Amino acid sequence: MASHRAAPIQAALTTRRATPEDAPVCGRICYDAFSAISAQHNFPCDLPSAEVAAGFMTMLFSTPGFYGVVAELDGRIVGSNVLEERSIVMGVGPITVDPTVQNAGVGRRLMLDVLQRARSQHAAGVRLVQAAFHNRSLSLYASLGFDVREPLSCIQGKPRQRSIAGCAVRPATPADLDPCNALSHRVHGFDRGADLAHCIERGTALVVERGGRITGYSSHLGFFGHTTCEANQDLQALLASVDSYGGPGILLPSRNTEMLRWCLAHGLRVTQPMTLMSMGLYNDPRGAWLPSITF
Amino acid sequence: MGIKEFWTVARKRPVTALALVLLWIASTIGWEVIHPKLLALLQPPPPFSHLGGEYTGTIYGSGQFDLCFVEDEAHPSTHEYDVRGTMLFASGAYVDYKGSTSGNRLDMKYARGGNSAVSDNGTATFYAPKSGKGPVEGYYVSKRFPENRQNLMLTKIAGNCRLANWGQGW
C-alpha cells in the first residue's frame, strides 16, 4: 500500500479563534475531508453536503459553550476544530483538515490548541469519537494521550418493535431536567445539563418512565445526541419509540452485546464502526448509554 | 484418616486434599470465624480501601481542597471511611464538605458555610484510582454558579488526617 507523508508545515501555520464568518469555508473543508476518507474506505459520508456542513459549523461557531479554532496557512483556512465545553467533561470535534494539506501537522496543531483550551477551562476530562477505519486519526489521538475506551457501532434503521412493556416514552420538559441530571450523575459521574436543557428547548429530548419515575433520557436519538438509561429495557423503549435516528444513526457501545443483538433482531443495521476515546477523568458508566458523536 | 493416608491422597488429588484441610480448619476454628476471612481472601478490597489519610490539591488557582479519609476505628476490616473535606479560599475563608462512597465514586456535599461570606458551595466528585493508590482525581461544581467548575487532582500529604480547619469556627 502506498504511503504518503507530507513535509511538516508548522512554521507557516497559525491558529486563531473561529468566527461564524469562517463557517462556509470550514464547512466545505469539513465535507471534503469526511467524504474523502469515507470514500477511501467505502463508507457513506457522515454529512450529506457542503451546505449542511456549513450550517453545522455556523451553529458550532456561534453557540455559547462551543470553542472553535481555525488553522491558517499563508492566510488561507486549511482546517478547523471544535471543543464542546458545556460540562466538566469536554468533547472534541469535528476536526477536519483540507485534503490537500493533510499529513503535515495541521491536525496535531488543531488538537493541541483545543487541549490547551480544555486545560485552561479546568476540564476534568476530554473525550472524542473517531471513525474506527481512520488509521491516521487513531494514531494522532493515541499519540496525544487519548485512551481507547469503547468500540462503537453506528446503527440506523426503523425498529420493528414500537414499545416495551412497562416503559412509557414521552417528550422531555424543563421539569425533567433535575431528575435527568441526577440519573446522568449516577450512571456517568457527571451531568450534561446544559446540553440537555438546550435539547429540551428545541423539542428533541425524550424521557422514559418505568415504575412511575424517570429511568432514562435522550437529548436526541441520533448522531448528535446522547442517551443515558438505568437499564437496557429503558434504552430499548427509547429506541423503539421513533421511526429513525438523526443523521447517520445512533452510536451503541458494541460491548453491550445484549443491546447490539436486540438492535439486529429488530430490523436495525450497523453502518460503520467508531471508537470512543478519552483523556483525563474516565470511569466505566453504570447503566445503558449512547454517546453523541462528540462523546 | 491418618497422616500417611492423607499424604497419599494429597499427592494424587491435591485439590481434594486442600478441601479436606479447609474442612478440618473450619470444623476446628468454627465456620463463623473462617467464613469472613475466606470472603476477604476471595473478594477484591473496596475501591477506596487503600486511601486512608489526607489529600490535597489546588482549586481556583490559589485555593486549596483538602480531603480526609478517616478509617472507622471500631471496624477497621470493613474499610469504611468517614470522608471529610475542606475548601480553603485565598482570602482565608473555608467551607466544609462531607462525603460518601458508592462503588468507585466518592460524592462530597456541602456541610456548612465558612467563616466569612462564602457563597460558593457546591459538590465535588472523586473516583477511586484504578491502581488502588493516589492521586485522587475528580471535579468540583459550584451550586450557585454551575459555570464555576474545576478539575481536581489531590495527592496524599499525610498518613493521618488533620484537616485543622474542619468544623472549626462555627
Side-chain angles (χ1 to χ4, degrees):
Chain A
M1 186 187 288
S3 164
H4 171 70
R5 191 175 184 86
I9 49 174
Q10 303 264 355
L13 192 67
T14 57
T15 55
R16 64 168 170 81
R17 181 97 191 235
T19 69
E21 289 70 39
D22 300 321
V25 177
C26 293
R28 162 57 64 186
I29 291 172
C30 183
Y31 177 72
D32 288 348
F34 274 118
S35 54
I37 189 70
S38 296
Q40 281 172 27
H41 295 85
N42 208 21
F43 282 101
C45 183
D46 292 341
L47 295 157
S49 68
E51 290 71 30
V52 169
F56 179 49
M57 300 308 275
T58 302
M59 187 273 287
L60 293 177
F61 291 166
S62 58
T63 305
F66 290 88
Y67 166 82
V69 58
V70 295
E72 289 181 321
L73 192 60
D74 298 326
R76 178 174 68 97
I77 293 175
V78 291
S80 66
N81 198 2
V82 176
L83 180 72
E84 188 200 328
E85 46 190 29
R86 293 183 290 184
S87 73
I88 190 72
V89 173
M90 299 181 182
V92 177
I95 173 173
T96 48
V97 177
D98 187 328
T100 62
V101 295
Q102 285 180 356
N103 307 323
V106 179
R108 178 173 289 269
R109 182 75 169 269
L110 286 165
M111 283 301 297
L112 289 172
D113 186 285
V114 298
L115 290 177
Q116 174 57 35
R117 169 73 179 185
R119 270 190 292 275
S120 74
Q121 297 299 299
H122 306 289
V126 181
R127 300 182 188 178
L128 57 81
V129 170
Q130 64 96 221
F133 55 75
H134 196 338
N135 301 348
R136 291 196 313 273
S137 77
L138 175 69
S139 306
L140 170 63
Y141 304 144
S143 68
L144 286 169
F146 282 85
D147 297 322
V148 170
R149 294 301 184 181
E150 284 285 346
L152 304 170
S153 294
C154 183
I155 286 177
Q156 187 53 280
K158 182 177 181 177
R160 283 197 202 110
Q161 192 173 343
R162 303 318 308 270
S163 64
I164 299 293
C167 297
V169 177
R170 63 169 173 78
T173 69
D176 299 323
L177 194 56
D178 282 347
C180 288
N181 286 343
L183 171 66
S184 178
H185 197 271
R186 285 200 302 278
V187 174
H188 294 288
F190 64 97
D191 70 65
R192 299 170 76 168
D195 179 8
L196 181 59
H198 182 60
C199 291
I200 290 174
E201 196 179 301
R202 285 172 50 212
T204 62
L206 298 170
V207 294
V208 54
E209 290 176 311
R210 180 162 50 85
R213 62 189 186 85
I214 290 176
T215 50
Y217 77 87
S218 179
S219 66
H220 175 55
L221 278 173
F223 216 45
F224 299 101
H226 72 276
T227 300
T228 302
C229 300
E230 280 186 4
N232 279 345
Q233 67 184 110
D234 306 313
L235 184 53
Q236 288 165 5
L238 285 166
L239 294 187
S241 70
V242 296
D243 287 330
S244 66
Y245 310 117
I250 55 159
L251 299 172
L252 177 71
S254 308
R255 294 190 304 165
N256 188 346
T257 46
E258 181 192 335
M259 272 308 300
L260 184 57
R261 290 194 188 100
W262 183 89
C263 288
L264 297 174
H266 287 81
L268 307 178
R269 67 186 190 284
V270 177
T271 58
Q272 62 169 307
M274 306 193 96
T275 314
L276 176 70
M277 303 181 79
S278 81
M279 179 188 280
L281 193 70
Y282 186 87
N283 271 272
D284 287 327
R286 285 188 261 166
W289 58 289
L290 308 174
S292 69
I293 188 59
T294 314
F295 72 97
Chain B
M1 182 186 286
I3 294 287
K4 265 191 176 176
E5 288 90 343
F6 174 78
W7 281 116
T8 310
V9 171
R11 274 192 217 102
K12 287 180 182 171
R13 297 173 183 271
V15 177
T16 309
L18 182 65
L20 281 170
V21 168
L22 285 174
L23 268 174
W24 177 76
I25 293 171
S27 61
T28 308
I29 302 173
W31 184 244
E32 295 78 10
V33 176
I34 202 165
H35 181 243
K37 291 186 190 300
L38 265 177
L39 276 183
L41 275 174
L42 295 172
Q43 287 177 344
F48 287 92
S49 62
H50 300 295
L51 293 181
E54 185 164 340
Y55 292 72
T56 193
T58 56
I59 186 166
Y60 292 136
S62 54
Q64 188 176 318
F65 196 100
D66 291 333
L67 182 64
C68 246
F69 294 93
V70 188
E71 198 159 0
D72 182 353
E73 288 178 1
H75 307 93
S77 61
T78 62
H79 297 296
E80 292 291 332
Y81 288 113
D82 178 13
V83 193
R84 300 170 185 176
T86 297
M87 204 159 105
L88 287 152
F89 294 86
S91 63
Y94 43 89
V95 182
D96 280 353
Y97 288 84
K98 285 208 77 169
S100 59
T101 59
S102 166
N104 70 337
R105 202 170 71 222
L106 162 63
D107 290 310
M108 303 288 292
K109 289 187 175 161
Y110 170 83
R112 52 197 153 193
N115 54 349
S116 69
V118 174
S119 59
D120 201 3
N121 67 73
T123 58
T125 302
F126 298 96
Y127 292 89
K130 289 190 173 71
S131 65
K133 294 181 179 175
V136 181
E137 200 176 352
Y139 66 91
Y140 168 85
V141 181
S142 163
K143 188 174 184 182
R144 187 176 290 194
F145 308 106
E147 65 277 15
N148 285 354
R149 55 196 187 207
Q150 299 271 299
N151 61 316
L152 287 166
M153 184 74 81
L154 309 184
T155 51
K156 193 167 186 172
I157 54 167
N160 297 315
C161 283
R162 291 169 299 180
L163 277 192
N165 291 316
W166 205 90
Q168 303 296 311
W170 46 71

